[in-house]
C-alpha cells in the first residue's frame, strides 16, 4: 500500500512545482493529474472542440489514451503514444482543461489510473480535488494557495521569461475567472478538505513551502 500525499489549490498556486520538489526529496512518484486533464484538453482542441461545446466532450475524448511514464526520473505525459509534455502548458489548453475536467466522462476516464498509481506506489499528487475526491484517505493533505495578485505576477514572470508577450491584467482576470469556475463547478469543486493543512505561499519561497510540506510526511 502506497503512502499518499495530496496537494490541492487554485490555478497558479505553484502546486506542480512544489509537488515535484517534495516527491524528489522524499523519493516518491509525482503524479501530475493536471497534466492528464491537459492532455485530454489538447486532444479535444485538436478535434476542433471549443470550451463551450460540452455536449461533445464525452464522444470526442473516447479515443484518447492518456498515460504517464518516467524516463531517467522525468515524467512524460503520453497522449495516444505521443509525448505531449511540452505541448500542454499553454493558456488555451489550460482554459479548455478547466472546462472539460468537470465532465463526468472525462473524469471517470482518468480516475482509475490515478487511484491505481496511488494504491501501488508512494505518490505526491496535485490538482483541484485530490484530497476531497480522488484520494480522500491520503496520508497527508495540503491546500496550497496564494493571493490572486501573487499568482498573476508569477504567471506573468514565467511567460515573459519565455519570451512570450502577455498582458498582466488579462492574466489576473483569467485567474479570477478560473477560480470562480473551479470553485463552483457541479462535479468535485475546488475546496479545502476538512483535514487538509492550509499553506498560503504568497510570502514564502519555493524552498520554504517544500520544507513545510516535507515536515508533514512521517515516512
Amino acid at each position: 500500500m502506497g503512502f499518499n500525499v495530496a496537494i490541492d489549490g487554485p490555478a497558479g498556486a505553484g502546486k506542480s512545482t512544489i509537488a515535484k520538489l517534495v516527491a524528489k526529496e522524499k523519493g516518491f512518484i509525482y503524479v501530475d493529474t493536471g497534466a492528464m486533464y491537459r492532455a485530454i484538453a489538447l486532444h479535444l482542441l485538436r478535434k476542433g472542440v471549443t470550451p463551450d461545446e460540452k455536449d461533445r466532450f464525452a464522444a470526442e475524448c473516447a479515443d484518447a489514451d492518456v498515460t504517464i511514464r518516467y524516463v531517467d526520473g522525468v515524467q512524460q505525459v503520453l497522449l495516444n503514444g505521443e509525448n505531449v509534455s511540452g505541448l500542454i502548458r499553454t493558456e488555451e489548453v489550460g482554459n479548455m482543461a478547466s472546462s472539460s475536467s468537470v465532465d463526468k466522462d472525462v473524469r471517470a476516464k482518468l480516475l482509475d489510473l490515478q487511484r491505481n498509481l496511488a494504491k501501488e506506489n508512494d505518490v505526491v499528487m496535485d490538482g483541484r480535488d485530490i484530497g476531497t475526491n480522488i484520494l480522500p484517505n491520503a496520508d497527508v493533505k495540503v491546500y496550497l494557495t496564494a493571493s490572486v495578485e501573487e499568482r498573476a505576477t508569477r504567471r506573468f514572470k514565467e511567460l515573459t521569461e519565455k519570451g512570450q508577450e502577455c498582458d498582466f491584467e488579462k492574466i489576473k482576470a483569467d485567474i479570477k475567472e478560473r477560480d470562480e469556475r473551479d470553485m463552483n463547478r457541479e462535479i468535485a469543486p475546488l475546496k479545502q478538505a476538512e483535514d487538509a493543512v492550509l499553506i498560503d505561499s504568497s510570502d514564502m519561497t519555493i524552498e520554504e513551502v517544500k520544507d513545510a510540506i516535507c515536515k508533514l510526511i512521517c515516512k
Side-chain angles (χ1 to χ4, degrees):
M1 192 70 178
F3 189 100
N4 300 165
V5 180
I7 301 178
D8 289 311
K15 300 183 300 296
S16 297
T17 298
I18 297 301
K20 290 173 186 175
L21 291 173
V22 171
K24 183 176 182 180
E25 177 152 323
K26 304 302 291 188
F28 288 12
I29 290 176
Y30 167 61
V31 181
D32 183 354
T33 60
M36 294 181 182
Y37 282 107
R38 281 174 175 265
I40 289 289
L42 176 63
H43 183 75
L44 292 172
L45 287 170
R46 285 177 169 180
K47 290 201 166 189
V49 182
T50 67
D52 296 328
E53 295 180 300
K54 296 176 173 56
D55 57 325
R56 296 181 61 190
F57 290 168
E60 298 294 357
C61 79
D63 60 342
D65 178 43
V66 178
T67 58
I68 286 181
R69 71 181 181 189
Y70 284 81
V71 177
D72 296 327
V74 178
Q75 175 183 276
Q76 293 185 347
V77 182
L78 304 181
L79 172 60
N80 293 331
E82 175 191 356
N83 182 1
V84 296
S85 302
L87 303 175
I88 59 175
R89 296 299 176 184
T90 66
E91 290 295 305
E92 183 184 20
V93 170
N95 287 327
M96 171 59 94
S98 183
S99 294
S100 60
S101 64
V102 305
D103 185 86
K104 62 181 179 62
D105 294 298
V106 173
R107 301 189 71 79
K109 190 172 186 68
L110 296 175
L111 187 59
D112 285 344
L113 172 61
Q114 294 163 356
R115 286 180 172 166
N116 286 337
L117 278 169
K119 185 184 298 183
E120 299 169 2
N121 302 277
D122 296 336
V123 303
V124 179
M125 198 177 293
D126 72 281
R128 303 288 196 277
D129 64 337
I130 309 303
T132 56
N133 181 50
I134 297 176
L135 301 178
N137 298 315
D139 302 277
V140 172
K141 296 180 185 179
V142 172
Y143 189 83
L144 180 63
T145 189
S147 67
V148 171
E149 190 80 18
E150 177 61 25
R151 286 184 281 144
T153 298
R154 292 173 183 173
R155 183 60 176 162
F156 179 83
K157 182 179 179 181
E158 177 186 354
L159 292 173
T160 53
E161 286 179 348
K162 292 179 180 178
Q164 298 182 30
E165 291 188 9
C166 51
D167 181 272
F168 177 79
E169 291 302 323
K170 185 179 185 305
I171 291 174
K172 187 175 176 180
D174 285 345
I175 287 176
K176 285 183 177 179
E177 182 182 347
R178 194 176 300 180
D179 283 354
E180 181 71 15
R181 191 163 59 229
D182 289 344
M183 291 177 180
N184 292 286
R185 66 192 187 190
E186 183 177 351
I187 302 174
L190 167 66
K191 63 180 180 179
Q192 181 180 341
E194 291 184 1
D195 53 347
V197 176
L198 174 65
I199 297 179
D200 187 327
S201 68
S202 298
D203 298 314
M204 298 174 70
T205 65
I206 291 175
E207 192 72 15
E208 287 172 339
V209 178
K210 184 261 294 179
D211 289 344
I213 295 176
C214 284
K215 288 177 181 178
L216 300 172
I217 302 172
C218 300
K219 181 174 182 177

